Amino acid sequence: MSALRKLAGQTAIYGLSSIVARFLNFLLVPLYTSQYVFEPAEYGVVTALYSWTALLNVVLTFGLETTFFRFASRSPSPSEKGQGDDGRSTPLPGRGAGGELQAPLSPGEGQGVRLYSTATWGLFFPALAFMLFGGVFSNNIAEGLDFGAYTSSVLMLVLIIGIDAITTIPMARLRQQGRPWKYAFINLLSVLVNIALSVFFLLYCMKRYNMGQSNALIDAVYDPALGVAYVFAINLVSTAVKLLVLLPSWPSFKPMDKDLLRAMFAFGAPLMVAGLAGMVNETADRVILKYLLPDDPGSEAGADAQIGIYGACYKLAVLITLFIQAFRMGAEPFFFSHAKEKNSAATFARIMNIFVAVCMAAFLVVMLFLDLFKWFIPNPAYHVGLRVVPILMLANVFLGIYYNQSVWYKLTDRPRVGSTISLIGAILTIVLLFALIPALGYMGAAWTTLICYFSMAAISYLWGQRSYPIPYDVSRVLLYIASAVVLWWGCEQLPLEGVFKYMLRSFVLLGFVAVAWRMERGALKA
């Protein structure tokens, strides 16, 4: 029981620190989109450039974080000091002559240390090469991406991505060693440095300067010529802080075990492909918008301005996104621990009902009171894009349904199914973006996201029912989704204002929650 309590406590710390860090970063959106800070076109540059971060991070880390955990699980405990039962060195996973996972280390050398050193330096040198290449050719890269006026921002983004990559294994080692508090501290420290510097340079210096309220301090430390580059400079500092805190635990350089490194890259390659497909589904819309939107410089119709509007309004779907992230952290260990119980399939089906009911309640909270939530984006110039919010929130609901369904291929040890579905989603995303954006603008990107995630959920359901049948109540799931959408749409048609409008919408929300509670309370008590 103590081991389970320890695991639950560590999971809570890892999960809460990740969610809190993401939420704190989310709170920067009102700052970025404030009047006198960034206009839509400037925020569009931030959105478009940052969209490359997730894609390149997947490539540079090459699946080695998960690979490190997998290989570490084959390593002996520190008390074994690298010795097997017969006193000889115990092999780490690698590729032997027969293709099996084995990569013997030098006798007497700590295998965990060797694995950590090989994995860390194995990512360090490619990341260093990426940063050097990006530094030398930053101007060419910026021109190639059609961001020629933002070369300094591109250069700093290259450094951010590189540093993130080389800190991946040291951060993973903290989790592998069971040190959640240090892991959480480093993550939150980096985020807090980002927020503190953003508040000072953007909210205090930039906003006051643009309002004509400069003073001696602002004149001394603020350079208005940098503009959006401040976002990347601040992020670079916060990322560097993470690196500095990790330096004391950095492995000393030793010749890398080439067989082990080769085996790790072979193991991580499929994970990288699957991760890249997932990132395409998640971020390709903001990457591709820049090149498919009709551009009319100097007007609200400009491509950068539309990307900024779309990116800011995209953030309003975060309520569902945070819930899905929290759900995933708790659901996966639950699914594995309950898989062998007699009525596990029925339990998984009931969880789906509750999950969708909660998601649609969150949908109603945001959509029924969107005229209040919209002020999370303080500048009214962004509000023209609010029409994407219901589409993107529904898209995230279907993404959550897909994650919920993923239990079937995980329990049947068929992870390639997840990779296949992600690849199908990525292909569908690219095709639809090129088909819809030229005709519908950023609305085409929103519809693409919804269609992609709906398709992934549908494919997973149909595939899973043949391999690992779970009696999902599809009619109830669809009822929750349809009823929430109809209730929101109906409220939009009523010409009510002021207190009566909010009273009615509050009653509608409470009514939906009450009905869902009544329908699911039996499952909650089970």
Side-chain angles (χ1 to χ4, degrees):
M1 182 62 70
S2 60
L4 291 176
R5 282 200 298 267
K6 180 180 179 181
L7 175 62
Q10 291 184 359
T11 301
I13 297 168
Y14 291 133
L16 285 175
S17 67
S18 298
I19 292 173
V20 169
R22 186 167 181 175
F23 182 72
L24 290 175
N25 270 323
F26 172 70
L27 293 179
L28 290 173
V29 176
L31 193 159
Y32 293 157
T33 58
S34 296
Q35 289 181 304
Y36 301 105
V37 179
F38 297 137
E39 291 300 317
E42 295 172 305
Y43 186 64
V45 173
V46 175
T47 299
L49 286 179
Y50 267 133
S51 298
W52 288 97
T53 305
L55 292 170
L56 292 173
N57 266 332
V58 171
V59 175
L60 282 181
T61 55
F62 210 84
L64 285 200
E65 180 181 37
T66 301
T67 302
F68 175 76
F69 289 130
R70 177 67 174 126
F71 280 32
S73 70
R74 298 278 185 97
S75 303
S77 65
S79 62
E80 295 174 301
K81 301 184 184 301
Q83 303 298 313
D85 293 337
D86 57 359
R88 292 178 294 178
S89 178
T90 305
L92 275 169
R95 292 294 177 189
E100 71 278 5
L101 284 174
Q102 60 174 28
L105 299 180
S106 303
E109 182 171 10
Q111 296 185 30
V113 174
R114 186 60 175 264
L115 173 64
Y116 176 48
S117 176
T118 298
T120 301
W121 292 108
L123 285 185
F124 176 84
F125 290 110
L128 180 62
F130 172 79
M131 288 188 284
L132 290 174
F133 179 86
V136 172
F137 297 102
S138 57
N139 187 61
N140 304 80
I141 295 171
E143 292 286 350
L145 294 176
D146 198 18
F147 287 106
Y150 301 95
T151 299
S152 61
S153 297
V154 170
L155 172 59
M156 287 185 282
L157 185 64
V158 166
L159 297 176
I160 291 166
I161 295 170
I163 295 172
D164 271 339
I166 65 178
T167 58
T168 296
I169 299 302
M171 289 295 288
R173 189 174 188 239
L174 293 176
R175 295 168 60 190
Q176 187 261 333
Q177 291 178 325
R179 303 175 69 184
W181 287 110
K182 185 172 182 179
Y183 178 90
F185 167 76
I186 294 173
N187 266 339
L188 292 177
L189 176 63
S190 177
V191 172
L192 291 174
V193 168
N194 194 330
I195 291 175
L197 292 176
S198 296
V199 169
F200 176 72
F201 282 104
L202 301 182
L203 186 62
Y204 180 76
C205 295
M206 180 181 287
K207 189 168 185 176
R208 284 175 176 264
Y209 181 89
N210 290 338
M211 294 174 67
Q213 300 177 2
S214 185
N215 55 42
L217 176 60
I218 294 174
D219 292 339
V221 301
Y222 175 68
D223 181 3
L226 285 177
V228 297
Y230 268 108
V231 174
F232 301 96
I234 290 168
N235 197 347
L236 179 58
V237 172
S238 65
T239 306
V241 167
K242 178 188 290 189
L243 176 62
L244 290 173
V245 175
L246 287 168
L247 282 181
S249 61
W250 208 264
S252 57
F253 179 73
K254 298 177 182 179
M256 289 180 286
D257 187 319
K258 294 180 181 179
D259 290 334
L260 176 59
L261 186 62
R262 191 180 300 114
M264 294 183 74
F265 277 121
F267 188 94
L271 299 175
M272 187 268 290
V273 172
L276 191 59
M279 285 300 103
V280 167
N281 295 332
E282 186 174 335
T283 65
D285 52 353
R286 280 145 288 171
V287 171
I288 293 177
L289 272 170
K290 170 79 173 175
Y291 312 104
L292 296 182
L293 284 170
D295 196 8
D296 182 11
S299 76
E300 188 180 67
D304 288 341
Q306 291 185 66
I307 297 170
I309 291 168
Y310 178 73
C313 293
Y314 199 109
K315 298 290 187 180
L316 287 176
V318 77
L319 184 60
I320 287 180
T321 305
L322 289 176
F323 170 68
I324 292 172
Q325 183 177 348
F327 171 82
R328 288 181 68 188
M329 290 175 179
E332 189 165 282
F334 176 87
F335 287 148
F336 279 107
S337 64
H338 286 72
K340 294 183 179 180
E341 293 189 2
K342 182 178 180 181
N343 297 318
S344 61
T347 300
F348 299 158
R350 289 195 296 269
I351 290 172
M352 176 69 83
N353 295 340
I354 297 169
F355 173 83
V356 175
V358 173
C359 281
M360 295 317 298
F363 172 87
L364 284 175
V365 168
V366 174
M367 294 313 304
L368 290 177
F369 302 98
L370 187 59
D371 57 345
L372 301 179
F373 277 98
K374 71 180 182 183
W375 294 110
F376 184 80
I377 305 170
N379 189 343
Y382 291 87
H383 294 172
V384 67
L386 292 173
R387 53 193 174 141
V388 304
V389 176
I391 302 171
L392 293 172
M393 293 196 78
L394 286 175
N396 277 283
V397 171
F398 284 109
L399 178 61
I401 292 173
Y402 168 69
Y403 286 145
N404 204 313
Q405 291 175 342
S406 67
V407 60
W408 78 263
Y409 61 75
K410 292 177 180 177
L411 292 179
T412 56
D413 292 326
R414 299 174 67 183
R416 289 187 179 180
V417 170
S419 302
T420 301
I421 295 174
S422 293
L423 284 170
I424 293 172
I427 294 170
L428 185 62
T429 293
I430 298 299
V431 171
L432 288 176
L433 287 175
F434 277 89
L436 298 181
I437 289 176
L440 302 177
Y442 56 72
M443 289 297 295
W447 283 113
T448 294
T449 305
L450 175 57
I451 294 169
C452 170
Y453 289 151
F454 171 81
S455 299
M456 289 171 62
I459 292 169
S460 179
Y461 171 76
L462 295 173
W463 198 340
Q465 291 305 299
R466 294 198 302 269
S467 303
Y468 191 93
I470 296 176
Y472 292 121
D473 192 339
V474 177
S475 59
R476 182 174 294 192
V477 167
L478 295 177
L479 175 64
Y480 284 141
I481 295 173
S483 60
V485 172
V486 169
L487 287 171
W488 160 66
W489 181 85
C491 289
E492 289 294 308
Q493 307 312 305
L494 296 176
L496 296 177
E497 295 295 336
V499 65
F500 295 106
K501 172 182 175 179
Y502 296 117
M503 286 179 62
L504 174 65
R505 296 188 174 211
S506 298
F507 177 78
V508 168
L509 174 62
L510 292 174
F512 178 88
V513 172
V515 171
W517 171 264
R518 184 174 180 84
M519 294 176 69
E520 303 300 337
R521 62 182 178 180
L524 291 170
K525 294 178 180 178

